Amino acid sequence: MKTVAATEAKNRLGAILDEAQREPIVIRRQDRDIAVVLSMADYERLRAGNIQAFLDLRKEVAAQAAANGLTEERLAEFLTDDDA
């Protein structure tokens, strides 16, 4: 992954945006990575992956809950229990 200084990124924004279509660009300021510029396609792929990971986790938790006897009725009891 290519790294550029913040000043260089500011001065070469157009070129940096073009380069980001090929690979993500790390922006550094004062010897710290502060941002990444990436293509919209890469961003959408990451975003979709996070959504799918969440959906997979939700499905796994639901399966474990069902395997342990949690039903819709029992869940409703837990949520309306005044003793909690």
Side-chain angles (χ1 to χ4, degrees):
M1 195 175 326
K2 184 175 179 178
T3 301
V4 299
T7 304
E8 179 184 352
K10 178 181 170 186
N11 292 336
R12 296 184 49 240
L13 181 59
I16 297 295
L17 294 174
D18 289 341
E19 290 176 35
Q21 301 309 305
R22 294 182 292 282
E23 67 174 328
I25 308 293
V26 176
I27 310 296
R28 291 183 61 82
R29 180 172 46 199
Q30 299 176 351
D31 296 324
R32 293 183 319 134
D33 295 342
I34 60 165
V36 176
V37 179
L38 64 153
S39 70
M40 187 56 92
D42 286 344
Y43 171 76
E44 292 294 338
R45 189 169 36 256
L46 285 172
R47 188 168 171 239
N50 287 339
I51 291 169
Q52 189 59 53
F54 171 76
L55 295 174
D56 292 344
L57 176 61
R58 185 180 71 173
K59 185 184 292 185
E60 181 180 330
V61 168
Q64 288 176 1
N68 289 318
L70 184 64
T71 63
E72 292 284 334
E73 294 79 20
R74 188 70 182 123
L75 181 58
E77 289 175 21
F78 286 136
L79 294 175
T80 59
D81 190 1
D82 292 334
D83 294 334

